[in-house]
Amino acid sequence: MSSEEKKVDIFRDTPVRYLGYANEVGESFRALIHVNWVRFSYVIASSYVCADATSKGLDMSQREWPDAKTKRNKVTYAVADTVIWQGLASVAIPGFTINRICFLSNLLLQKTTALPTITRKWTVTAIGLAAIPFIIKPIDHSVDWLMDNSLRKWSGTSMTAKDHSK
């Protein structure tokens, strides 16, 4: 493979990356579906995170390292960094954000409109779904900043949103 060619990362360069958004979609539909479906959306998103971390660990383990200890440390770091970054940027923060957007939208609509319940619930779901594209980049950049100024600083490495983007 030439230096101009890039290896396709199935978890970041293909539609598989959209599995990381499952919990945001689940949170958007929370008012309309049983809570177990919302929980299942978190299982899907968390499985995506684990699969991506496993992939990054395997990629790191296939490189040449001077000794077993260095290899173990590099693989461990790659997996841990991916789990933490994806866990925050793909699951925890966006899930919480969409949950609060939907909760507050519902509250506002209840207090300020006379919409029928089902119309209000569909409106809240639409608001949640519409918010997803707008929250992703700011969350990604915030998690990059957080990790670059904490865990990565302490470990002496740095990655960017491009390295982790869904």
Side-chain angles (χ1 to χ4, degrees):
M1 184 181 316
S2 73
S3 62
E4 292 178 12
E5 292 179 39
K6 277 188 158 181
K7 180 182 173 191
V8 173
D9 183 340
I10 191 170
F11 295 101
R12 300 184 187 170
D13 302 325
T14 71
V16 170
R17 71 189 169 112
Y18 295 116
L19 292 174
Y21 301 129
N23 63 309
E24 288 102 309
V25 174
E27 286 293 348
S28 295
F29 277 93
R30 182 181 283 273
L32 294 169
I33 61 176
H34 191 278
V35 70
N36 286 341
W37 287 109
V38 178
R39 291 176 183 141
F40 183 64
S41 73
Y42 277 87
V43 169
I44 293 169
S46 297
S47 297
Y48 164 81
V49 170
C50 291
D52 188 23
T54 300
S55 172
K56 299 306 172 276
L58 288 172
D59 287 349
M60 196 61 69
S61 73
Q62 293 171 353
R63 295 184 185 179
E64 294 293 325
W65 299 106
D67 55 58
K69 182 180 179 184
T70 301
K71 180 178 181 176
R72 183 177 57 249
N73 289 342
K74 295 290 186 177
V75 169
T76 300
Y77 177 79
V79 171
D81 186 82
T82 303
V83 165
I84 294 167
W85 193 94
Q86 290 282 20
L88 290 171
S90 298
V91 181
I93 297 171
F96 177 78
T97 303
I98 295 297
N99 177 283
R100 294 295 85 192
I101 287 170
C102 290
F103 174 81
L104 294 171
S105 297
N106 187 50
L107 194 65
L108 183 66
L109 290 172
Q110 274 181 326
K111 292 187 181 286
T112 62
T113 69
L115 290 173
T117 301
I118 193 66
T119 304
R120 189 182 71 249
K121 287 180 177 184
W122 275 106
T123 303
V124 166
T125 298
I127 291 168
L129 291 171
I132 294 170
F134 296 101
I135 68 168
I136 295 191
K137 292 292 183 192
I139 290 172
D140 286 357
H141 294 301
S142 297
V143 173
D144 274 329
W145 181 89
L146 174 69
M147 291 189 63
D148 285 345
N149 289 287
S150 59
L151 298 172
R152 293 177 184 157
K153 187 179 250 183
W154 301 324
S155 69
T157 62
S158 181
M159 299 176 94
T160 65
K162 183 180 175 191
D163 299 319
H164 283 295
S165 62
K166 292 182 187 174

